[in-house]
Amino acid sequence: GAVVSQHPSRVICKSGTSVKIECRSLDFQATTMFWYRQFPKQSLMLMATSNEGSKATYEQGVEKDKFLINHASLTLSTLTVTSAHPEDSSFYICSVTGDPTEAFFGQGTRLTVV
Amino acid sequence: SQQGEEDPQALSIQEGENATMNCSYKTSINNLQWYRQNSGRGLVHLILIRSNEREKHSGRLRVTLDTSKKSSSLLITASRAADTASYFCATDPIQGAQKLVFGQGTRLTINP
């Protein structure tokens, strides 16, 4: 299966700053990547679909200006949390989809906004 | 997207016992998948069962699918302490554009 690397694994930032999370597909060319958010002891909530070379598709209720997604190549998608606030603290996970729809996940990023 | 339902939300058993988790969903699907998540980590794919399959095995895992009831179960036999994790079902809806819909998850604890 695909190997997905997510960086950083943990980040602490000050309120009001921006944080960039990288998701790399190491051995698989991914035209589509998915970004999820997970609160403690809860399930994954899909935030957006990252599309290589075009705009991301955001799920209802997700602010596109706050969660900027860039998918500039077939192996890299980035999620930037802009003007972060404590309520943005969460676990963010990316994935790529293989065949048929088996998902391969990154290790996740624990974001803490102080 | 609508979340599937899983039960129980938490399950604690003794090592060596079998663990059964259930998942229900709402829409017609192409397939249903089960994933495992260790605390603070990403998800790992365990098994996929297609909509035209009723049962599938992989090692100590057994998955069933009942599309008429829109439900699935995951059985882990002869549990081990290392099986302690959260388990999620995920459905691939027929009109979902590759977007998986995850259940709420079951937190499984295996006591040595």
Side-chain angles (χ1 to χ4, degrees), chain A residues 11-21 65-68 79-85 88 111-113:
Chain A
V11 58
I12 300 173
C13 71
K14 290 186 177 180
S15 191
T17 63
S18 296
V19 173
K20 180 184 285 188
I21 302 169
D65 294 330
K66 180 163 188 65
F67 298 100
L68 299 179
L79 168 67
T80 301
V81 183
T82 63
S83 187
H85 290 282
D88 298 324
L111 170 63
T112 303
V113 184

Side-chain angles (χ1 to χ4, degrees), chain A residues 4-37:
Chain A
V4 180
S5 177
Q6 192 172 336
H7 178 81
S9 58
R10 291 177 181 271
V11 58
I12 300 173
C13 71
K14 290 186 177 180
S15 191
T17 63
S18 296
V19 173
K20 180 184 285 188
I21 302 169
E22 293 187 347
C23 180
R24 292 183 184 274
S25 177
L26 300 183
D27 58 354
F28 181 82
Q29 292 192 324
T31 55
T32 302
M33 292 186 181
F34 298 92
W35 286 97
Y36 297 86
R37 182 173 181 175

Side-chain angles (χ1 to χ4, degrees), chain A residues 47-49 56-60 62-65 67-69, chain B residues 99:
Chain A
M47 298 175 65
T49 304
T57 306
Y58 290 83
E59 295 299 302
Q60 192 172 8
V62 178
E63 299 177 58
K64 62 180 181 180
D65 294 330
F67 298 100
L68 299 179
I69 290 173
Chain B
K99 295 182 185 179

Side-chain angles (χ1 to χ4, degrees), chain A residues 32 34 36 38 41-46 49 57-59 91 93 97-108 110, chain B residues 1 3 6 30-31 33 35 37 39-45 48 50 88-89 92 97-100 102-105 107:
Chain A
T32 302
F34 298 92
Y36 297 86
Q38 185 180 32
K41 297 185 179 180
Q42 293 191 24
S43 188
L44 280 71
M45 295 297 296
L46 180 65
T49 304
T57 306
Y58 290 83
E59 295 299 302
F91 192 60
I93 316 175
T97 300
D99 180 33
T101 49
E102 177 183 340
F104 302 95
F105 287 86
Q107 305 94 316
R110 172 75 58 197
Chain B
S1 56
Q3 296 279 306
E6 286 189 58
N30 293 311
N31 61 67
Q33 305 171 38
Y35 290 82
Q37 183 182 34
S39 181
R41 307 295 294 273
L43 278 70
V44 175
H45 182 267
L48 180 152
R50 298 178 190 272
F88 294 91
C89 67
D92 173 22
Q98 292 191 323
K99 295 182 185 179
L100 296 178
F102 285 85
Q104 298 294 329
R107 293 189 304 281

